[in-house]
Amino acid sequence: MSKKLTGKAFDSKIFTRLMGFAKIYRKEFVISTLAAIILSLVSVARPILLKEIVQTYFENKDKEGILYFSLLMCAFLLVEVFLQALFIYKVNWLGQHIIKDIRVKLQKHMLHFKMAYFDKSSVGKLVTRLVSDTETIAQFFGEGLFMIISDLLKMVVVAVVMLFMNWKLALIAFIILPILIYATKLFQIAIKSSFQEVRTQVANLNGFVQERVTGMNIVQLFNREKLEFENFVKINDKHKKAHIRTVWYYSIFFPVAEILSSIAVGLMVWYGGLDIVNSGITNAGEIIAFIMMSQMLFRPLRQIADKFNTLQMGMVAGDRVFEILDTESQITKTGNVKASHFKGDISFKNVHFSYIKGEEVLKGINLDVKAGETVAIVGATGAGKSTIINLVNRFYEINEGEICIDNHNIEQYTLQSLRNQIAVVLQDVFLFSDTIFNNIVLNKKEITLEEVKKAAEEIGIHEFIMSLPDNYNYNVKERGAMLSSGQRQLIAFLRAYVSKPSVLILDEATSSIDSYSEKLIQDATDKITKYQTSIIIAHRLTTVKKADIIIVMDKGEIVEQGSHIELLEKDGYYKTLYDMQFVNEVA
């Protein structure tokens, strides 16, 4: 649903989908509607009572009648206030509950997107869809749809009462309506296009700020502060201009609407006054009532343009949110085999894969890994090493071929059970802004603190964690900013270790840490790889040398495989890599 909205107030398909979220809140929907209907009827009571006071009791100087009707007006005013409060509360309550449901559905949908979707999508724009756009949908209900319905009902009731009370004065008031309606239509179309530009600039601003804050170390390291500030000023200026354009339309429309309303009031007073002087049917009470009712007729019409704008904003936001909800980018979940434990036999059979259509990254990979083996994959950057582990976890779907674990195609396993049996330690470790303990167990309640401490002692990092303030309750802040890269690697390795995986994958897990941290991880690796199938992508000599088999990749193909000694004796591609990268390391 990526088509653009037209100048009309709403798109019927989007409107229907948005209203579909209100079905489970029928009670609040009915209460809001009834409150709007009753409110429209009660609101005209005061002008009618005021007319009666002026026309009957002022002329007869009836003090008791004046007091009685004045108290009656106060009573109707209190009822109106109560209904208005009930109406506003219910429609906003409804809006907030609906966007809660939409956000839950949208977040759940996004959580299962393929990695390829996030590779191509701006984080800032996705955040805008999930936070800002959904909030705009709440306004669609709270300040748009129901308010328009309430105002329209009130205008209809007021118009009918005016015609019944004095049709000539009513027609004079109605003369202005076509002009005001036309001005409202022009404003609605103009403000809608302006809002679309505002939302675009908000998404661009969010994306720009998110990227620069995340990559602040690169900005400062390469002295880009001035350049990035200038870029920010340009984007912020576009954002400002988009908002000013909206303000410009408001500043024109509302004074024009106010002038037209005042002209209508002036015409009614002029005609009514002449009619009284000429001893016509008009009386002073009617003129006062008409002045009061004209405001009840014109003020909602002036405001209804703004509310139609809110309605349109909700439509545009709904279109953008539904565009993501309608995106089919999930991994195919046809498997029904639950993997409780893997022996660890892994097989690649003629696997072809490309991130971009027509540009193959893997070109017919054939690979067999036996249960319990430790396999190292080496090769130059871009050879396809990391792609292999992405495919084992089904982060991406292959173009051709088959990947099997324990003689079952991985597509036959349920996605959750497959990933539960595979633990991955990446080169770029991601930690949440949370405690060390929660970052290790990832809120898995079955893993206790005692189990984590025991695992940490086994791999030798318990003392490091205990040296931190609050120990395992130490908050590492966003992306683990309070820890060094080596410490983050140790936490990530412990996270993989306590999950007790059937298959362990280390992707350059020791490439950015100090020798001491590497020693800790190497000791832990020796322990865990005794019982699990392990795939290690690494450049460090110690890791590669200990592997049962080394796979050498180049340009998406396996060019050599064998043990460390066997590959050195071949004097081929691996030997060249060894001479270039490992010759200076201590064996």
Side-chain angles (χ1 to χ4, degrees), residues 295-513:
Q295 294 302 312
M296 297 170 63
L297 182 66
F298 292 125
R299 184 177 292 117
L301 190 58
R302 294 198 303 268
Q303 295 174 348
I304 215 168
D306 192 33
K307 290 164 185 174
F308 264 104
N309 173 42
T310 301
L311 190 70
Q312 285 184 318
M313 290 191 296
M315 290 292 178
V316 174
D319 183 56
R320 290 151 67 103
V321 169
F322 292 143
E323 185 177 356
I324 297 180
L325 285 174
D326 292 339
T327 299
E328 295 297 332
S329 185
Q330 284 83 11
I331 295 292
T332 305
K333 299 178 181 178
T334 56
N336 53 18
V337 178
K338 290 187 177 181
S340 58
H341 183 75
F342 288 143
K343 288 192 301 181
D345 290 317
I346 302 174
S347 178
F348 281 67
K349 300 176 182 179
N350 193 35
V351 174
H352 291 259
F353 174 76
S354 57
Y355 293 103
I356 302 173
K357 189 176 182 179
E359 300 180 14
E360 278 198 334
V361 178
L362 298 183
K363 305 171 183 178
I365 295 295
N366 288 286
L367 172 64
D368 290 308
V369 180
K370 295 179 181 179
E373 278 190 337
T374 298
V375 177
I377 303 176
V378 300
T381 300
K385 306 184 300 296
S386 296
T387 299
I388 286 181
I389 66 170
N390 286 335
L391 297 182
V392 172
N393 282 282
R394 295 200 69 198
F395 287 149
Y396 301 85
E397 292 184 288
I398 61 177
N399 301 342
E400 184 182 336
E402 187 179 36
I403 302 174
C404 297
I405 298 181
D406 291 352
N407 297 319
H408 282 86
N409 190 314
I410 58 174
E411 295 180 6
Q412 295 178 312
Y413 294 109
T414 61
L415 197 59
Q416 183 177 4
S417 68
L418 172 71
R419 291 177 178 171
N420 277 341
Q421 296 303 315
I422 301 173
V424 182
V425 179
L426 299 172
Q427 179 181 2
D428 183 18
V429 176
F430 186 94
L431 297 181
F432 295 95
S433 179
D434 206 335
T435 65
I436 285 181
F437 175 74
N438 286 336
N439 268 290
I440 292 170
V441 302
L442 296 178
N443 294 317
K444 292 182 180 178
K445 296 181 179 180
E446 63 269 21
I447 304 177
T448 66
L449 177 60
E450 292 305 316
E451 289 177 311
V452 172
K453 287 182 178 180
K454 182 179 178 182
E457 289 174 353
E458 288 176 1
I459 64 175
I461 68 170
H462 176 69
E463 291 184 8
F464 142 65
I465 296 175
M466 294 301 293
S467 67
L468 298 171
D470 297 324
N471 314 132
Y472 286 86
N473 290 319
Y474 180 65
N475 193 312
V476 300
K477 304 301 180 183
E478 188 174 358
R479 298 184 68 88
M482 303 305 292
L483 302 178
S484 68
S485 59
Q487 290 170 334
R488 290 196 295 271
Q489 285 284 6
L490 291 170
I491 297 301
F493 196 90
L494 181 56
R495 178 162 62 193
Y497 188 53
V498 297
S499 67
K500 299 176 182 178
S502 301
V503 177
L504 175 67
I505 298 176
L506 306 179
D507 184 7
E508 305 283 8
T510 61
S511 63
S512 60
I513 61 177

Side-chain angles (χ1 to χ4, degrees), residues 5-269:
L5 296 174
T6 63
K8 60 185 177 181
F10 64 89
D11 183 289
S12 59
K13 291 183 179 179
I14 298 175
F15 177 80
T16 302
R17 291 188 68 174
L18 287 174
M19 293 305 296
F21 285 92
K23 288 181 179 178
I24 62 174
Y25 302 109
R26 287 188 179 89
K27 179 181 176 181
E28 283 70 24
F29 190 90
V30 171
I31 291 175
S32 300
T33 304
L34 288 175
I37 294 172
I38 299 173
L39 191 60
S40 65
L41 297 173
V42 171
S43 61
V44 296
R46 287 185 295 119
I48 294 174
L49 292 172
L50 184 60
K51 168 185 170 294
E52 190 66 23
I53 291 174
V54 174
Q55 182 177 331
T56 304
Y57 298 102
F58 277 14
E59 291 181 2
N60 298 329
K61 297 181 180 180
D62 185 345
K63 295 181 181 180
E64 292 183 359
I66 293 173
L67 177 62
Y68 174 76
F69 272 85
S70 296
L71 292 174
L72 195 59
M73 284 182 62
C74 290
F76 273 100
L77 179 62
L78 291 175
V79 172
E80 188 176 348
V81 168
F82 170 76
L83 289 172
Q84 190 76 21
L86 176 66
F87 174 73
I88 292 174
Y89 174 77
K90 283 297 181 181
V91 296
N92 282 281
W93 184 97
L94 186 64
Q96 289 301 320
H97 278 72
I98 287 172
I99 67 163
K100 180 207 71 173
D101 296 341
I102 292 176
R103 279 179 177 150
V104 168
K105 186 174 182 179
L106 183 60
Q107 174 72 352
K108 185 178 180 180
H109 189 65
M110 288 170 57
L111 283 172
H112 297 283
F113 277 164
K114 298 177 185 177
M115 289 297 108
Y117 179 87
F118 296 104
D119 293 341
K120 299 174 184 177
S121 301
S122 165
V123 174
K125 289 182 179 180
L126 291 176
V127 171
T128 300
R129 300 292 182 273
L130 188 61
V131 180
S132 300
D133 285 337
T134 50
E135 192 63 44
T136 304
I137 293 174
Q139 295 174 1
F140 166 88
F141 289 97
E143 299 174 20
L145 177 64
F146 285 100
M147 290 296 183
I148 290 174
I149 293 173
S150 175
D151 287 344
L152 287 175
L153 284 173
K154 187 180 296 184
M155 289 170 63
V156 169
V157 172
V158 168
V160 170
V161 171
M162 291 174 75
L163 285 169
F164 181 79
M165 189 178 292
N166 190 321
W167 66 271
K168 292 181 179 180
L169 281 180
L171 289 180
I172 291 174
F174 296 164
I175 289 174
I176 302 298
L177 282 179
I179 303 174
L180 191 55
I181 290 172
Y182 181 70
T184 300
K185 180 66 176 178
L186 292 178
F187 172 73
Q188 168 205 329
I189 295 173
I191 205 69
K192 181 256 182 183
S193 63
S194 178
F195 167 73
Q196 287 178 316
E197 177 63 19
V198 168
R199 299 310 304 164
T200 299
Q201 295 305 327
V202 167
N204 291 339
L205 190 61
N206 284 345
F208 181 89
V209 172
Q210 189 272 337
E211 284 186 346
R212 270 59 186 183
V213 171
T214 303
M216 188 59 71
N217 57 337
I218 300 299
V219 172
Q220 295 183 357
L221 185 63
F222 289 90
N223 295 316
R224 289 180 57 87
E225 293 93 338
K226 183 179 179 181
L227 180 60
E228 295 299 343
F229 176 73
E230 291 173 352
N231 291 335
F232 174 80
V233 169
K234 292 177 183 177
I235 295 176
N236 194 39
D237 187 60
K238 290 181 180 179
H239 181 265
K240 176 202 70 177
K241 288 178 179 177
H243 272 286
I244 288 178
R245 183 182 168 198
T246 303
V247 173
W248 168 250
Y249 290 132
Y250 276 104
S251 65
I252 293 176
F253 173 74
F254 282 104
V256 169
E258 189 66 37
I259 289 171
L260 291 173
S261 302
S262 299
I263 290 174
V265 171
L267 288 173
M268 285 189 297
V269 172

Side-chain angles (χ1 to χ4, degrees), residues 376 540-548 550 564 574 578 586-587:
R540 296 295 181 97
L541 174 63
T542 49
T543 303
V544 172
K545 286 177 64 176
K546 294 179 180 180
D548 296 312
I550 299 171
H564 175 67
Y574 178 79
Y578 175 79
V586 179

Side-chain angles (χ1 to χ4, degrees), residues 279-294:
S279 301
I281 62 172
T282 307
N283 59 68
E286 286 180 343
I287 293 177
I288 294 173
F290 265 73
I291 292 173
M292 191 173 181
M293 284 190 292
S294 67

